[in-house]
Amino acid sequence: MSGLQVLCSGLPLRPLPENRGRWTGVPHAPVRTPSLSPAEEQLALRNALRYFPLDVQELLAPEFAGELRLYGHIYMYRFCPSIEMRAYPIEQYPCQTKAAAAIMHMIMNNLDPAVAQFPQELVTYGGNGQVLSNWAQFWLVMSYLSQMTEEQTLVMYSGHPLGLFPSSPNAPRLVITNGMVIPNYSSRAMYDKLFGLGVTMYGQMTAGSYCYIGPQGIVHGTVLTLLNAGRRYLGVEDLTGKVFVTSGLGGMSGAQAKAAVIVGCIGVIAEVDKSALVKRHKQGWLMEMTDSLDHCIQRLREARKKKEVLSLGYHGNVVDLWERLVHELDTTGELLVDLGSDQTSCHNPFNGGYYPVQIGFLEAQSLLASSPMAFKCLVQESLRRQVSAINRLAQKNFFFWDYGNAFLLEAQRAGADVEKKGANKTEFRYPSYVQHIMGDIFSQGFGPFRWVCTSGDPQDLAVTDQLAMSVLEEAIAGGVNSSVKLQYMDNIHWIREAAKHQLVVGSQARILYSDQKGRVAIAVAINNAIAHGKIKAPVVLSRDHHDVSGTDSPFRETSNIYDGSAFCADMAVQNFVGDAFRGATWVALHNGGGVGWGEVINGGFGLVLNGTKEAEQRAKAMLSWDVCNGVARRCWSGNQKAYEIICQTMQENKGLVVTLPHEVVDKCLLQKALQP
């Protein structure tokens, strides 16, 4: 049998694979401290052993117990496959339906060491964004998918494959939920315990829905964010000579260096883990590295003076960098930074997502494992110092925003000075990038649409790139309003730059921001190209959950919802359900993602285009709902653009929306009605 046939044949039990333990030479997830009682340790062990027959449990039990005590979770390292983990061409997967093969292609891409942050712990990005909870689940899922027919649906409970259930060809082939904990118990401490027990997991956004495409996705989002930040804060279209300072070069944050180069500015990115810098440098995403703060400042000055395009990785803590920039301002009067943000995994600050400035990286890792409370105290002190430095720089012509990683939320909890007087709970001294930079874009239906060519052939991706550009160019020629035209033009420029900068890591994938009309038109064009043999294999459509209607997140995606419903999660749940019965090949609903466990509910989908009329009909119905659900929500809070778009869209599609913009209510009338 071929390697993939073996991988899909079920758990390897007779003989058991050799236990090679943790690999050397690859990054590993931080040690977890779930604080399980002896009875809970027994329960965790029982939960792990239930995947195995009795005759091997005696050998595996002490091994799994050792993993639990050493690492805080049972990953089942023995069962980590020896096959090269990557997205193989869809034709190579054993299957009964191409939809299942497409899902296998996506799962293996999420676990590709070139893509995944901690591949052996099944973590794709964000420090804790799991694809699955353990390796037994991986083998079982691959086996189920290889057997699946068009009349079955695989059900996933937080990494646990519940089984193949009778279904229909029109139903999703896969339904995923991750972290669906009863609201009153959705705390971080409970998450640590439940993950330690092996009964829930953190799917992040696109890790646990198998739709991550490597850091390209966030490169694009960062490119658009920087372009629009320049327009809003600096009043410029050209960012040449402007300096952007930030932190994080690990998973998604590794995209920041490449984004800075694409927009033509100077990007200085701090990272405490040298392996992350080296990885991005080898990929060509990071131009230069230094572990000297003096050299970093000297190089920054040179590039600024010459208006060079530069991405410079500083191996050190970003707090030191911010404080040094303050020192330069106070001693020379020179402000060396124009724009700033933070892209550490601050949604997970006390488990390795954010490292304190007071001690070195290795010492911090050791302290995290030995004394979590001491580590937490240092992290919170570090956050206070970071904010203090940012506040000093912000007194000048410097602009900072929260990148939706819960940085300001955690800084507030740490006692940092981030309060905004008279603001609601979702607002701080500095805005979320959704509130100021991307909010209007979402309200118009623009969001991170993406596709994956399952042939694995770069030529297929080139064809889809050309199709997408043609669709947007034709839309502009046909006449669109100025704000829509600007976004289309940004994305045409992006596709051209993406091809030049070799942004594919893992699967042959592309992302762009498009509205409802653009997404549908691109999907139809790709499906027609498959039908006529211009693209050799099915294409998977997806998106980041961080989108128009995929996510209810009061401190990020819905932070600009001001009607009091920012903490309600109806939209994400309706998105998940609505996509399921409008034709999605698979759907996912998660607790947590981006801003942290218990802070957000998000939903996503995968849709396989295979060149058939049925696929075209599914794309039209599902993509329209996937966008319009969120646009309609946003007109509640007074967004006039959202109201105009949803009314026009509903009229064109014979729908009806009775919601009026929030702002139609006369404020004087309210004041009069509420007078004593």
Side-chain angles (χ1 to χ4, degrees):
M1 289 193 293
S2 72
L4 287 175
Q5 287 175 321
V6 171
L7 202 63
C8 295
S9 62
L11 275 167
L13 298 172
R14 297 173 182 85
L16 287 170
E18 177 188 359
N19 184 12
R20 296 175 294 158
R22 275 193 166 193
W23 299 336
T24 58
V26 298
H28 288 286
V31 172
R32 300 184 179 278
T33 51
S35 301
L36 301 181
S37 68
E40 288 168 335
E41 287 184 335
Q42 285 191 27
L43 184 56
L45 194 55
R46 184 182 298 121
N47 289 339
L49 290 171
R50 63 184 167 182
Y51 293 109
F52 301 92
L54 288 172
D55 63 324
V56 298
Q57 288 185 12
E58 187 173 353
L59 173 66
L60 295 177
E63 187 178 301
F64 290 171
E67 287 186 14
L68 182 63
R69 287 173 175 164
L70 277 174
Y71 309 120
H73 187 74
I74 301 171
Y75 296 105
M76 306 183 187
Y77 289 117
R78 176 189 289 271
F79 294 94
C80 186
S82 58
I83 189 174
E84 180 187 357
M85 190 66 70
R86 62 181 176 86
Y88 290 83
I90 192 172
E91 294 298 330
Q92 297 182 23
Y93 289 95
C95 64
Q96 306 297 316
T97 168
K98 289 297 181 188
I103 296 167
M104 289 190 273
H105 178 95
M106 301 290 281
I107 290 173
M108 292 189 72
N109 183 67
N110 270 30
L111 293 169
D112 181 339
V115 174
Q117 186 179 13
F118 306 127
Q120 219 185 351
E121 286 78 41
L122 303 103
V123 172
T124 299
Y125 68 92
N128 59 352
Q130 304 283 147
V131 180
L132 298 156
S133 186
N134 59 56
W135 285 106
Q137 293 174 349
F138 172 82
W139 286 90
L140 291 170
V141 166
M142 296 296 283
S143 176
Y144 281 137
L145 288 170
S146 69
Q147 300 172 56
M148 174 189 287
T149 72
E150 286 287 335
E151 295 187 343
Q152 291 175 317
T153 293
L154 175 60
V155 178
M156 299 293 299
Y157 276 22
S158 292
H160 173 72
L162 200 64
L164 284 173
F165 290 85
S167 187
S168 76
N170 293 325
R173 299 279 67 80
L174 175 66
V175 176
I176 306 166
T177 52
N178 285 312
M180 291 292 107
V181 173
I182 303 300
N184 275 356
Y185 304 92
S186 191
S187 66
R188 282 182 180 157
M190 183 62 82
Y191 159 70
D192 288 339
K193 187 177 292 292
L194 294 176
F195 183 65
L197 289 173
V199 294
T200 198
M201 72 176 210
Y202 195 91
Q204 257 289 350
M205 292 190 140
T206 52
S209 62
Y210 320 146
C211 291
Y212 190 60
I213 60 167
Q216 179 190 168
I218 194 64
V219 173
H220 181 42
T222 308
V223 163
L224 292 186
T225 300
L226 285 171
L227 287 173
N228 286 292
R231 290 164 182 155
R232 181 179 181 102
Y233 299 132
L234 305 177
V236 299
E237 289 285 338
D238 183 1
L239 289 170
T240 303
K242 302 300 181 185
V243 177
F244 171 55
V245 171
T246 183
S247 56
L249 282 168
M252 291 175 62
S253 59
Q256 297 181 107
K258 179 60 76 173
V261 172
I262 290 175
V263 301
C265 72
I266 300 157
V268 183
I269 307 99
E271 170 59 59
V272 294
D273 183 355
K274 191 164 187 177
S275 66
L277 280 96
V278 171
K279 179 178 181 178
R280 297 308 176 198
H281 190 256
K282 285 182 177 178
Q283 287 176 337
W285 289 38
L286 184 65
M287 294 168 66
E288 298 178 18
M289 297 186 297
T290 181
D291 56 8
S292 165
L293 201 50
D294 288 340
H295 178 74
C296 183
I297 296 300
Q298 177 190 345
R299 190 69 186 90
L300 169 55
R301 276 200 167 97
E302 288 174 0
R304 196 162 171 259
K305 184 177 180 180
K306 296 177 183 178
K307 295 191 174 181
E308 285 183 63
V309 175
L310 174 67
S311 57
L312 174 62
Y314 166 58
H315 178 217
N317 197 291
V318 74
V319 179
D320 285 329
L321 177 56
W322 285 121
E323 291 181 342
R324 177 61 179 269
L325 290 167
V326 170
H327 174 76
E328 295 298 322
L329 175 63
D330 290 342
T331 57
T332 70
E334 189 177 12
L335 179 66
L336 294 175
V337 57
D338 302 285
L339 300 170
S341 191
D342 184 281
Q343 224 179 89
T344 56
S345 296
C346 214
H347 70 279
N348 185 35
F350 312 126
N351 281 295
Y354 180 100
Y355 282 90
V357 66
Q358 303 91 331
I359 55 178
F361 179 55
L362 294 178
E363 187 181 353
Q365 286 189 316
S366 177
L367 183 65
L368 171 59
S370 64
S371 182
M373 286 308 298
F375 181 86
K376 179 178 179 179
C377 289
L378 290 182
V379 164
Q380 292 189 318
E381 180 188 337
S382 189
L383 283 166
R384 292 193 294 271
R385 283 175 57 179
Q386 183 168 343
V387 167
S388 178
I390 290 167
N391 287 349
R392 172 69 184 96
L393 295 167
Q395 292 172 5
K396 302 297 182 180
N397 195 36
F398 160 71
F399 301 91
F400 183 88
W401 66 87
D402 186 296
Y403 218 129
N405 61 338
F407 172 74
L408 291 179
L409 180 62
E410 288 303 330
Q412 179 193 52
R413 290 169 176 166
D417 182 13
V418 295
E419 298 295 330
K420 180 180 178 181
K421 291 182 180 179
N424 63 40
K425 290 182 180 179
T426 65
E427 293 182 282
F428 300 99
R429 175 191 289 248
Y430 304 104
S432 157
Y433 77 120
V434 173
Q435 288 169 327
H436 272 194
I437 303 171
M438 305 299 279
D440 263 0
I441 296 174
F442 276 5
S443 295
Q444 294 176 78
F446 283 89
F449 181 55
R450 58 179 60 160
W451 59 88
V452 176
C453 299
T454 64
S455 65
D457 188 340
Q459 183 56 39
D460 276 356
L461 184 60
V463 172
T464 62
D465 281 349
Q466 189 57 53
L467 287 172
M469 282 193 291
S470 297
V471 164
L472 300 184
E473 288 165 350
E474 288 171 12
I476 292 171
V480 292
N481 69 46
S482 59
S483 58
V484 171
K485 180 180 178 180
L486 180 64
Q487 296 306 319
Y488 279 173
M489 290 176 67
D490 280 351
N491 281 281
I492 291 168
H493 173 72
W494 154 258
I495 293 178
R496 291 188 178 124
E497 290 297 313
K500 289 180 193 174
H501 286 271
Q502 300 178 330
L503 292 174
V504 168
V505 178
S507 59
Q508 293 294 318
R510 186 66 76 224
I511 181 174
L512 60 77
Y513 267 52
S514 186
D515 57 358
Q516 180 257 353
K517 288 184 178 179
R519 297 187 207 199
V520 171
I522 291 169
V524 170
I526 290 174
N527 195 60
N528 285 338
I530 297 169
H532 291 92
K534 296 177 182 177
I535 297 173
K536 291 179 283 298
V539 170
V540 175
L541 301 183
S542 185
R543 57 163 169 75
D544 195 338
H545 294 201
H546 162 63
D547 196 11
V548 180
S549 79
T551 301
D552 283 300
S553 178
F555 295 101
R556 194 165 80 176
E557 284 82 358
T558 46
S559 60
N560 63 338
I561 298 288
Y562 298 125
D563 68 344
S565 69
F567 291 88
C568 300
D570 300 84
M571 182 175 73
V573 176
Q574 290 284 1
N575 177 267
F576 165 80
V577 175
D579 283 357
F581 66 72
R582 286 180 174 87
T585 308
W586 72 94
V587 289
L589 187 68
H590 301 177
N591 170 14
V595 295
W597 183 264
E599 306 286 358
V600 51
I601 299 293
N602 62 90
F605 75 88
L607 175 63
V608 176
L609 297 179
N610 59 12
T612 63
K613 282 292 180 186
E614 291 79 9
E616 179 179 319
Q617 291 166 359
R618 286 170 179 251
K620 288 179 177 178
M622 200 223 75
L623 292 174
S624 293
W625 165 253
D626 194 65
V627 176
C628 289
N629 174 36
V631 176
R633 165 89 185 279
R634 280 167 171 79
C635 79
W636 292 3
S637 62
N639 192 294
Q640 188 63 35
K641 289 178 181 176
Y643 182 64
E644 292 167 1
I645 288 169
I646 199 63
C647 287
Q648 181 183 351
T649 304
M650 289 298 100
Q651 186 176 12
E652 291 172 355
N653 292 280
K654 299 179 181 178
L656 178 66
V657 171
V658 297
T659 304
L660 292 174
H662 201 242
E663 61 192 19
V664 301
V665 180
D666 190 322
K667 290 182 180 178
C668 293
L669 176 65
L670 299 178
Q671 292 170 355
K672 184 177 179 181
L674 293 171
Q675 284 178 352

